[in-house]
Amino acid sequence: MNDNHYMQIALELAARGKGYTSPNPMVGAVVVKDGKIVGKGWHEKVGGPHAEVNAIDDAGDQAAGSTIYVTLEPCNHQGRTPPCTEKILSAGIQHVVMAMKDPNPDVSGGGADFLIQNGISVESGVCEAEARRLNESFIKYIRTKQPFVLLKCAATLDGRIATRTGDSKWVTGESSRKYVHELRHEMDAIMVGVNTVKTDNPSLTTRREDKKGVDPIRIVLDTQLSIPENSKLLQIPSGSDTLIITGNSKSSPKRTAIENMGVKIIDTALKDGRIDLNALMNQLGKTGITSLLIEGGAQVVASALQSGIVDKINFFYAPKILGGDDGVPMCSGPGPELMAQSIPVKDIHVRQFDNDIMIEGYLN
């Protein structure tokens, strides 16, 4: 077996932490001795032991003289848990293979340097592209202090997200919708516009079959604080918060009533009469939100794209055609005059969910 084989196993272990490790990265580790895996571990939840610790503990005495494969550079600083480099050293591990260096510019390379200085050989860059994709939210957040933004949209083949009456249940099939709940579980927060709340009255919670899911923080863009007080997402029992983002909401009986429900109302800057999404990203980053899923309607989708906050898209297309020009489009409002001014999408991947097609790509 080669290094890629063992690193792929470490990456699969790391992915088990999806939804549970934020704001920390997902990390997996495999301890190998004499060609055999003797220990496995991953970072299971924020505040818990790191992947290296779990893998070394799993290996026990067999860790001495072994190689450890880890998807991210071992930490060399005291955080909520002790440095993993010390654990590697005390276990007698001789060789460390890591997928990528720590993207945090304040600590990058420190762990590897410490290990090398203490006689342990270190190799980096094995399956690095896969490791970066796995932790793309953490990488952006640690460098910019802004959340990684994923824009999800579901449309017919002729680009409509609802009929002329606003009916959108359901554009895509059950398999696609199940995947969206996996995305909700993985992301820190989910954002929609107030018109979506008024039209669909969504819960914006995570529902996973046979598996417990983590609810994202629910965020509603509501410039004038017009959200109905009987909306589901203001009242549902959940372990996560609901945030209403408003532009100029002054003290009022309605604001007090909503805040008394345990909902947080956050005032932010306006731009052309709408929520300034770039300013909002800075605010959300300061609260520790590392990733954001946008599931908004046509106005929110257009605003998100035009503001340049979107990092990645998941566009689902169902094999349906409305066949008219009066349905709700994916984006509303003016677009560019020239095709050359369109937004390029790069690094495209296409996935099929039963009869639906999902196009995944990157904008930034």
Side-chain angles (χ1 to χ4, degrees):
M1 301 295 182
N2 60 21
D3 288 347
N4 281 39
H5 169 77
Y6 295 120
M7 192 63 78
Q8 288 291 345
I9 295 173
L11 287 165
E12 290 167 10
L13 290 168
R16 296 185 186 183
K18 285 181 178 179
Y20 301 111
T21 66
S22 179
N24 291 347
M26 291 169 278
V27 185
V30 175
V31 180
V32 177
K33 189 172 185 179
D34 300 327
K36 294 181 180 179
I37 295 175
V38 295
K40 294 180 180 179
W42 69 96
H43 185 36
E44 298 176 16
K45 62 180 180 179
V46 63
H50 288 188
E52 300 94 317
V53 173
N54 288 331
I56 291 169
D57 286 347
D58 188 39
D61 294 340
Q62 295 186 82
S66 68
T67 295
I68 187 168
Y69 293 82
V70 60
T71 58
L72 184 68
E73 180 180 5
C75 64
N76 191 42
H77 54 277
Q78 179 74 43
R80 298 188 190 190
T81 57
C84 291
T85 51
E86 298 282 2
K87 182 79 172 182
I88 291 170
L89 199 60
S90 62
I93 289 173
Q94 292 184 341
H95 187 49
V96 174
V97 180
M98 59 190 193
M100 60 176 287
K101 289 188 175 182
D102 195 315
N104 185 344
D106 295 333
V107 300
S108 181
D113 290 344
F114 174 86
L115 293 170
I116 292 168
Q117 289 163 10
N118 282 275
I120 297 175
S121 61
V122 176
E123 183 180 351
S124 179
V126 176
C127 301
E128 182 169 358
E130 294 96 320
R132 287 186 173 277
R133 187 181 292 271
L134 179 68
N135 277 312
E136 57 195 9
S137 296
F138 172 76
I139 292 171
K140 182 187 178 185
Y141 180 76
I142 205 68
R143 289 178 172 171
T144 68
K145 297 297 183 279
Q146 290 188 345
F148 181 90
V149 178
L150 170 60
L151 175 62
K152 169 258 168 183
C153 200
T156 61
L157 290 180
D158 49 350
R160 304 290 161 169
I161 62 175
T163 67
R164 67 174 180 271
T165 65
D167 179 40
S168 60
K169 290 189 170 44
W170 294 100
V171 176
T172 52
E174 187 177 355
S175 181
S176 295
R177 300 199 301 273
K178 283 182 181 178
Y179 181 71
V180 171
H181 281 281
E182 292 297 320
L183 292 177
R184 290 184 180 184
H185 167 73
E186 295 170 15
M187 306 293 280
D188 287 354
I190 180 172
M191 187 169 80
V192 299
V194 70
N195 287 338
T196 294
V197 177
K198 292 175 180 177
T199 303
D200 298 340
N201 196 19
S203 299
L204 302 183
T205 52
T206 298
R207 298 179 292 282
R208 304 167 83 205
E209 283 189 355
D210 305 323
K211 289 184 285 188
K212 185 180 178 183
V214 178
D215 287 341
I217 295 169
R218 295 167 293 279
I219 300 173
V220 180
L221 301 178
D222 187 6
T223 309
Q224 302 296 334
L225 197 60
S226 63
I227 188 169
E229 290 179 46
N230 62 351
S231 300
K232 282 183 188 175
L233 54 77
L234 297 183
Q235 305 174 48
I236 54 174
S238 172
S240 66
D241 293 330
T242 297
L243 311 180
I244 308 295
I245 311 299
T246 186
N248 49 12
S249 168
K250 304 204 170 42
S251 180
S252 66
K254 182 173 184 179
R255 179 170 182 140
T256 301
I258 291 174
E259 289 176 331
N260 286 341
M261 296 180 194
V263 174
K264 298 178 182 178
I265 298 178
I266 297 175
D267 296 294
T268 194
L270 295 180
K271 186 176 182 181
D272 300 326
R274 294 175 179 262
I275 301 294
D276 185 335
L277 293 180
N278 284 285
L280 178 59
M281 292 307 105
N282 287 326
Q283 284 180 274
L284 296 182
K286 288 177 181 176
T287 69
I289 292 175
T290 70
S291 57
L292 175 66
L293 174 64
I294 297 179
E295 281 196 30
Q299 290 184 359
V300 172
V301 169
S303 294
L305 290 169
Q306 290 168 10
S307 67
I309 66 167
V310 179
D311 296 292
K312 183 179 182 179
I313 61 161
N314 280 174
F315 280 9
F316 294 82
Y317 290 94
K320 300 173 183 176
I321 300 170
L322 291 184
D325 66 356
D326 55 355
V328 182
M330 297 175 76
C331 299
S332 69
E337 294 183 0
L338 303 174
M339 192 61 69
Q341 296 168 323
S342 61
I343 302 168
V345 183
K346 305 170 185 175
D347 195 12
I348 300 294
H349 290 79
V350 178
R351 293 180 60 177
Q352 189 163 348
F353 295 90
D354 291 335
N355 291 325
D356 300 332
I357 297 294
M358 184 189 82
I359 297 177
E360 179 178 88
Y362 292 84
L363 272 56
N364 294 325

